[in-house]
Amino acid sequence: MCPLISVSNLSKTYASGFVALKNVNLDIKQGEILALLGPNGAGKTTLISIICGIVNPTEGTVTVNGHDIIKDYRQTRKMIGLVPQELTTDAFETAWGTLRFSRGLFGKKANPKHLEKVLRDLSLWDKKDSKIRELSGGMKRRVMIGKALAHEPEILFLDEPTAGVDVELRKDMWHLVKELRNSGVTIILTTHYIEEAEEIADRVGVINHGEIVVIEEKTELMRKLGKKQLTLELQQSLDQLPAEFRPYNLELSQDGRLITFTYDIHAERTGITSLLSQLNETGIRLKDLKTTQSSLEDIFVTLVKDEPE
Amino acid sequence: MNYYAVMAIYRFEIARTLRTIFQSVVSPVISTSLYFVVFGAAIGSRISDIDGIVYGAFIVPGLIMLSLLTQSISNASFSIFFPKFMGTIYELLSAPVSFYEIALGYVGAAATKSIVLGLIILATARLFVPFEIAHPYWMALFLVLTGVTFSLFGFVIGIWADNFEKLQLIPLLVVMPLTFLGGSFYSVDMLPPFWQKVTLFNPVLYLVSGFRWSFYEVADVSVGLSLAMISLFLCICLTLVWWIFKTGYQIKN
């Protein structure tokens, strides 16, 4: 299936000389939730801004549904809804007024029923006549989402949708994103909350210093880069590990009570059975054991750290 | 043409005016009325007629022009500067609208506002001083052309300005003096010969002269020249807007 959004050799150098994106290539599939992770200043917002038409690219092309974003901007932008990072709204306008404005701006005929549905879905219906400046921060963010959904977009960009949002609202937001995806909307979100990507994304891309370091199916990424660790708690502490355990990737804690065994879960032989039987033969008795799998956060930290400056 | 977008911007701007009706309509009407009271009723009676017209009536076209110019510029410049300042311009830039449609929405709304304001001031002036309009259609033409041209000019200023000081700079330091020295309050014949020549470089003179002609058939320069000049300003402003949109100047990084 051909990608819904295709980014080829995209670069952006700002007038100040700052290189925000370096030769980025990226395909986004219809109906997926793609999370773009990366530290501040990595180029996430620049990438989104170029696709949406806010920033001009220095080099490279982007197509949306086969249309070039510059030449056929009317076709591409009609399909896209954008929720920017900053809470920028017309403070004196009402929630209803601002959604109506957005719908018109994107070339759609007025449709009060649709706007009502959007506001109800965002739990904003009772605030429709309130001026935006009278709303709380969380409500303002929902108004921004409402504006982006007012013209029934097929693609939704959420730039840091949950930055500065409390836990409850964040969960609501995740729920909303999943519902939108179920209704067929393709969603691209940037975040630096790893648990967010872990919770809702189908695919995860990591951007650092303007380059895509990795982009994978979330489960695949965790499988590929995820390590598993077996932690063994001993009945009696050890001064050092006996020599016969050297072939294993083991680590003894300082107090000598914990042995950590790092292994590759996908290897044909993980070595767990032989390790355990060897421990038994050596007379090392276990008190407890547990296994842990590295999270997306560990993977992310490793990737970003490994990146050369 | 994204008709819905143009209408959305237009309606948004008109709604903004109605929200701030005191500031955008009542206040300029009152301040212009003060001129009529002071120069028309109070001092005007002691000033002799100019070209056979009572002084109070003579200044009416010039004062309407003065409001029209300043209001067109401030309406249009603020309307596009504010989204830039607030950051809401992201939505305009990401919408399927051409820059011409954006300009049409904003400039159309700003021109509408200032033209309506000009007509309100015209009606208010009639309460203070008696006058007739000799050529109403020409009057309307000058009103519309000036409103549109200076709304375009204001739009350009609003895009150029990246802070509040710049936003005020041209209206206060250039437009205001030119308007006061553009023959709103006097006929060019009243100036010494040297200044009569200098004042011909003031574009506002042509606007005021043409507009006054439509009222009293009295003009400092020929009405054809007035029309040609205002068309020239319109073309200059259109070219500026076209250039801004072509290059993304002060809008896109």
Side-chain angles (χ1 to χ4, degrees):
Chain A
M1 196 172 72
C2 77
L4 185 59
I5 300 176
S6 178
V7 177
S8 338
N9 307 318
L10 193 68
S11 298
K12 174 69 190 178
T13 308
Y14 283 102
S16 61
F18 176 70
V19 181
L21 291 177
K22 292 177 213 160
N23 202 32
V24 169
N25 288 287
L26 171 70
D27 282 345
I28 298 166
K29 290 177 252 173
Q30 179 143 28
E32 72 172 337
I33 300 181
L34 173 71
L36 291 171
L37 284 172
N40 288 329
K44 304 183 295 280
T45 301
T46 301
L47 177 61
I48 286 189
S49 301
I50 290 176
I51 301 174
C52 294
I54 298 170
V55 171
N56 289 329
T58 312
E59 263 174 63
T61 54
V62 180
T63 61
V64 177
N65 203 19
H67 299 290
D68 183 83
I69 54 154
I70 294 171
K71 217 168 69 210
D72 305 321
Y73 70 93
R74 283 188 200 268
Q75 278 93 331
T76 66
R77 292 188 195 170
K78 236 179 229 176
M79 297 177 69
I80 298 176
L82 166 68
V83 184
Q85 196 172 334
E86 309 280 336
L87 286 174
T88 46
T89 51
D90 294 298
F92 302 102
E93 184 62 272
T94 62
W96 179 261
T98 196
L99 259 69
R100 196 182 51 187
F101 172 75
S102 297
R103 188 174 169 89
L105 198 61
F106 279 75
K108 285 274 173 90
K109 199 177 162 199
N111 182 350
K113 277 207 175 129
H114 174 69
L115 296 192
E116 180 177 340
K117 184 183 179 305
V118 170
L119 285 173
R120 283 193 190 278
D121 287 350
L122 291 163
S123 319
L124 283 171
W125 181 243
D126 56 334
K127 299 282 178 193
K128 74 183 172 78
D129 296 320
S130 305
K131 288 201 171 127
I132 296 171
R133 65 174 180 156
E134 293 160 3
L135 302 179
S136 70
M139 286 180 186
K140 279 185 191 144
R141 196 166 286 281
R142 278 181 277 157
V143 170
M144 305 280 293
I145 297 177
K147 278 167 79 70
L149 294 175
H151 66 281
E152 302 160 66
E154 290 163 56
I155 303 164
L156 184 65
F157 282 93
L158 295 160
D159 197 358
E160 308 263 353
T162 53
V165 160
D166 66 32
V167 183
E168 204 176 330
L169 185 57
R170 192 177 299 174
K171 295 226 162 111
D172 284 353
M173 211 82 93
W174 292 349
H175 180 69
L176 179 78
V177 167
K178 284 178 184 166
E179 286 212 330
L180 283 169
R181 198 266 304 266
N182 291 341
S183 69
V185 179
T186 306
I187 293 156
I188 297 97
L189 61 95
T190 71
T191 181
H192 40 229
Y193 295 118
I194 287 101
E195 74 265 26
E196 190 157 281
E198 203 162 351
E199 171 77 25
I200 57 176
D202 300 314
R203 276 203 307 160
V204 177
V206 177
I207 303 187
N208 200 23
H209 302 301
E211 287 173 294
I212 295 199
V213 185
V214 69
I215 182 150
E216 274 293 359
E217 297 288 329
K218 179 182 67 186
T219 43
E220 184 72 6
L221 181 70
M222 292 179 69
R223 195 183 68 85
K224 262 194 192 165
L225 297 168
K227 286 177 184 156
K228 209 154 184 189
Q229 287 187 324
L230 172 69
T231 310
L232 306 165
E233 195 180 335
L234 309 179
Q235 283 187 1
Q236 282 173 334
S237 64
L238 290 175
D239 292 335
Q240 59 173 37
L241 281 166
E244 58 264 41
F245 291 103
R246 280 214 188 109
Y248 298 99
N249 188 8
L250 294 187
E251 225 175 286
L252 184 67
S253 66
Q254 276 198 332
D255 62 3
R257 283 197 164 271
L258 290 177
I259 295 175
T260 312
F261 172 44
T262 307
Y263 60 97
D264 180 0
I265 190 173
H266 307 290
E268 210 168 308
R269 288 165 174 274
T270 55
I272 297 175
T273 322
S274 57
L275 174 69
L276 290 179
S277 54
Q278 215 166 335
L279 283 169
N280 195 29
E281 282 164 21
T282 328
I284 299 173
R285 298 276 171 261
L286 303 180
K287 195 172 166 192
D288 196 5
L289 56 82
K290 64 168 183 182
T291 63
T292 48
Q293 183 156 15
S294 52
S295 65
L296 207 50
E297 178 146 10
D298 304 324
I299 300 170
F300 176 69
V301 170
T302 322
L303 281 170
V304 172
K305 258 191 196 159
D306 288 351
E307 215 14 40
E309 282 295 316
Chain B
M1 168 100 167
N2 187 342
Y3 166 79
Y4 292 114
V6 177
M7 280 316 290
I9 296 172
Y10 188 87
R11 281 174 59 175
F12 176 86
E13 279 301 303
I14 298 294
R16 190 168 66 85
T17 308
L18 296 177
R19 272 203 303 268
T20 56
I21 194 131
F22 272 92
Q23 181 200 330
S24 47
V25 178
V26 178
S27 142
V29 169
I30 289 179
S31 60
T32 315
S33 300
L34 290 175
Y35 282 106
F36 296 131
V37 173
V38 174
F39 292 104
I43 306 176
S45 55
R46 302 200 175 186
I47 301 175
S48 55
D49 294 359
I50 300 176
D51 299 328
I53 303 155
V54 179
Y55 187 70
F58 179 84
I59 60 172
V60 169
L63 284 175
I64 293 174
M65 245 338 147
L66 187 116
S67 286
L68 194 66
L69 291 185
T70 48
Q71 287 299 316
S72 295
I73 292 177
S74 76
N75 280 337
S77 62
F78 197 75
S79 69
I80 189 68
F81 175 78
F82 205 59
K84 280 204 315 177
F85 179 73
M86 294 292 286
T88 49
I89 195 158
Y90 84 87
E91 204 180 11
L92 288 174
L93 296 177
S94 63
V97 284
S98 71
F99 288 122
Y100 294 104
E101 288 155 358
I102 296 178
L104 193 61
Y106 281 112
V107 171
T112 306
K113 283 188 260 182
S114 55
I115 290 166
V116 168
L117 187 71
L119 292 173
I120 295 175
I121 292 173
L122 182 71
T124 316
R126 197 69 183 74
L127 300 175
F128 296 100
V129 278
F131 59 83
E132 300 296 327
I133 301 169
H135 305 285
Y137 292 114
W138 280 94
M139 193 275 300
L141 180 70
F142 274 110
L143 200 67
V144 171
L145 274 179
T146 311
V148 170
T149 304
F150 282 82
S151 296
L152 270 168
F153 186 50
F155 189 76
V156 173
I157 293 174
I159 284 180
W160 165 75
D162 46 17
N163 56 42
F164 274 99
E165 200 187 1
K166 275 191 179 173
L167 191 67
Q168 296 292 337
L169 201 68
I170 293 183
L172 285 180
L173 291 184
V174 181
V175 177
M176 199 67 155
L178 286 181
T179 320
F180 269 83
L181 301 174
S184 294
F185 296 100
Y186 51 82
S187 165
V188 173
D189 305 341
M190 296 157 76
L191 295 173
F194 173 73
W195 290 106
Q196 285 190 23
K197 293 271 182 297
V198 172
T199 210
L200 291 176
F201 289 97
N202 182 352
V204 179
L205 173 82
Y206 298 90
L207 307 179
V208 173
S209 168
F211 197 50
R212 189 178 288 134
W213 173 85
S214 71
F215 279 68
Y216 311 124
E217 296 184 307
V218 179
D220 290 323
V221 290
S222 83
V223 64
L225 186 60
S226 287
L227 203 59
M229 287 302 267
I230 188 161
S231 306
L232 177 70
F233 304 144
L234 183 64
C235 290
I236 293 173
C237 290
L238 282 173
T239 312
L240 278 173
V241 170
W242 171 82
W243 177 80
I244 284 171
F245 292 158
K246 182 101 183 147
T247 56
Y249 172 76
Q250 296 281 44
I251 313 178
K252 281 197 182 189
N253 307 314

